[in-house]
Amino acid sequence: MLTKRIIPCLDIKNGRTVKGVNFVDLRDAGDPVELAKQYADVGADELVFLDISATLEGRGTTLDMVLRVAEQVNIPFTVGGGISSVEHVDELLHCGADKVSINSSAVKRPELVNELSNKFGSQCVVVAIDAKQVDGQWKVHLAGGSIPTDIDLFEWAKEVETRGAGEILFTSMNHDGTKNGFANEALAKLSESLNIPIIASGGAGNVQHFIDTFEIGKSDAALAASVFHFGEIPIPELKKELKANNIEVRL
Amino acid sequence: MKLVIINYGAGNIKSIQFAFKRLGVDAILSNDPEEILAADKIIFPGVGEASSAMKMLEESGLADLIPTLKQPVLGICLGMQLMCKTTEEGNTKGLGIFQTDVKRFDHSVKVPHMGWNVIKDLKSDLFKSLKDNEYMYLVHSYYAEHCNETIAKTDYGLNYASALQHNNFYGVQFHPEKSGTEGAKILQNFLDL
């Protein structure tokens, strides 16, 4: 049976791992390659690297990091942050990234999703969506959640699926950094209305939150950062607990 | 040990090269028929779309060369699918090494089949020292139907061939290069064939 995936997310800035609480107040949690190897060893199913400074820094630093990760890590990984062209994706995949995630650039130019899936295949195109619930409506936000749009989360998710996205990484701005659990109602709605995998992101605080997002949120994978980086939830224990709750995981 | 990864412009070959490097073997990337023929072992990779990958193989002459190879050849993911008779992806005729066809998953399951799933009923030296129901990483929207060349099975909505073998030709749907230490064992077994 296909297992539910546990995905640590490593935010990268200047070649180092950082994690923002509600996307500000950065803290340093180590070298991305070392951290990635550790995560692979303890049973992480996949990794996501998000270059939060990608638009400001040269691409060289990220490409070099991707190459070093691909060299040393034996599980799949996704690279995101500031990706807006077919050429850039080509470079990242050639350095050994398995998938790329695009966010604001897809909203600004939705054809990018078609171009990437046609050239590289849907399997390596993750569309990340940051959304916030305002007056009961889930609206897509851009630039790390700082710029609101009028775009409805569910309509946008459906559109990117049609355009060839292979997976959706949904971050709830209402939940991110709160450690109060994932946005399971919206996640379940996404999962039921789409036929591609959904990764839950934003709100992980304890083991029960992961159980809930798989059972109630019907998520295919769950992503978190600080609870893993600071050892608050060790991945082997998390997976054992999930298994004990009859959730299929790779042990 | 001369290991060649056939480089015809399809997909993430760096990961495969690195996986062998972790096993202490430097793989050569090549599309040169001479070099491929001179190899001890050959990897036939592939990520992407079937009809365009097949077109690249035909234009380079590799489509004629690959079925004639006598060394152990390991097709990975799309590489394995292109070694079958046909694939529904782009209505493509494959290399016809494995006597089976490749179909698309229907809408009863999420497509692509993405993540870690088990391989079972293992029947090949390729899987020596692996236990049944070991987890492997898979990403694919099309699957090979069973035939008498099936050497591993996986369930996803239906039961399909996640690995095939015909004489010196091996094919795996999953990515051993991305499947942790158990995946690395399969690559080592291939080197040991």
Side-chain angles (χ1 to χ4, degrees), chain B:
Chain B
M1 166 67 65
K2 188 176 173 189
L3 177 69
V4 168
I5 301 173
I6 300 179
N7 182 13
Y8 60 106
N12 192 346
I13 48 181
K14 209 77 173 183
S15 299
I16 300 174
Q17 199 177 20
F18 283 142
F20 280 108
K21 200 174 161 193
R22 291 193 289 270
L23 296 172
V25 175
D26 281 319
I28 301 158
L29 305 179
S30 178
N31 61 357
D32 173 22
E34 299 273 308
E35 194 148 39
I36 294 169
L37 282 166
D40 299 309
K41 300 271 162 61
I42 295 157
I43 303 292
F44 177 39
V47 172
E49 199 272 330
S51 65
S52 48
M54 199 59 209
K55 197 160 164 257
M56 287 190 272
L57 287 172
E58 278 161 2
E59 283 169 0
S60 60
L62 292 168
D64 294 324
L65 176 75
I66 293 169
T68 67
L69 294 169
K70 299 286 178 259
Q71 313 89 322
V73 177
L74 177 63
I76 298 177
C77 195
L78 181 65
M80 184 207 84
Q81 296 187 356
L82 294 177
M83 290 159 87
C84 298
K85 284 194 294 183
T86 64
T87 164
E88 282 187 352
E89 189 176 23
N91 286 315
T92 308
K93 190 171 174 292
L95 300 173
I97 295 166
F98 300 129
Q99 295 308 303
T100 187
D101 296 303
V102 176
K103 310 273 184 193
R104 194 173 202 281
F105 285 113
D106 68 23
H107 287 288
S108 63
V109 287
K110 286 193 176 187
V111 182
H113 176 210
M114 185 183 284
W116 298 78
N117 202 336
V118 296
I119 57 170
K120 56 188 181 181
D121 297 337
L122 307 179
K123 274 196 301 192
S124 169
D125 284 347
L126 199 58
F127 304 123
K128 203 170 61 187
S129 83
L130 262 81
K131 57 182 197 294
D132 235 33
N133 290 308
E134 193 52 73
Y135 288 103
M136 292 291 147
Y137 185 76
L138 301 125
V139 187
H140 60 125
S141 303
Y142 296 79
Y143 66 92
E145 292 185 309
H146 282 306
C147 62
N148 55 19
E149 293 160 333
T150 299
I151 54 168
K153 296 175 181 174
T154 294
D155 288 313
Y156 189 59
L158 46 77
N159 186 260
Y160 69 92
S162 45
L164 296 158
Q165 183 191 348
H166 175 76
N167 299 330
N168 56 316
F169 293 97
Y170 299 79
V172 291
Q173 180 60 66
F174 47 87
H175 288 273
E177 77 279 15
K178 285 286 167 181
S179 296
T181 50
E182 297 308 305
K185 272 187 198 168
I186 295 175
L187 297 180
Q188 184 62 54
N189 287 342
F190 179 70
L191 293 173
D192 294 343
L193 283 173

Side-chain angles (χ1 to χ4, degrees), chain A residues 157-224:
Chain A
K158 191 74 205 165
E159 181 177 341
V160 298
E161 178 186 38
T162 309
R163 288 180 179 275
E167 200 167 26
I168 284 177
L169 166 56
F170 165 52
T171 303
S172 162
M173 308 303 304
N174 305 73
H175 297 72
D176 197 58
T178 64
K179 298 195 176 181
N180 284 330
F182 294 92
N184 293 322
E185 203 179 318
L187 282 159
K189 194 172 165 189
L190 280 174
S191 202
E192 278 157 9
S193 58
L194 303 184
N195 200 45
I196 54 176
I198 310 292
I199 307 170
S201 160
N206 59 42
V207 171
Q208 189 61 41
H209 293 154
F210 286 88
I211 297 171
D212 290 345
T213 201
F214 293 133
E215 283 184 347
I216 303 165
K218 309 209 179 331
S219 306
D220 298 286
L223 177 144

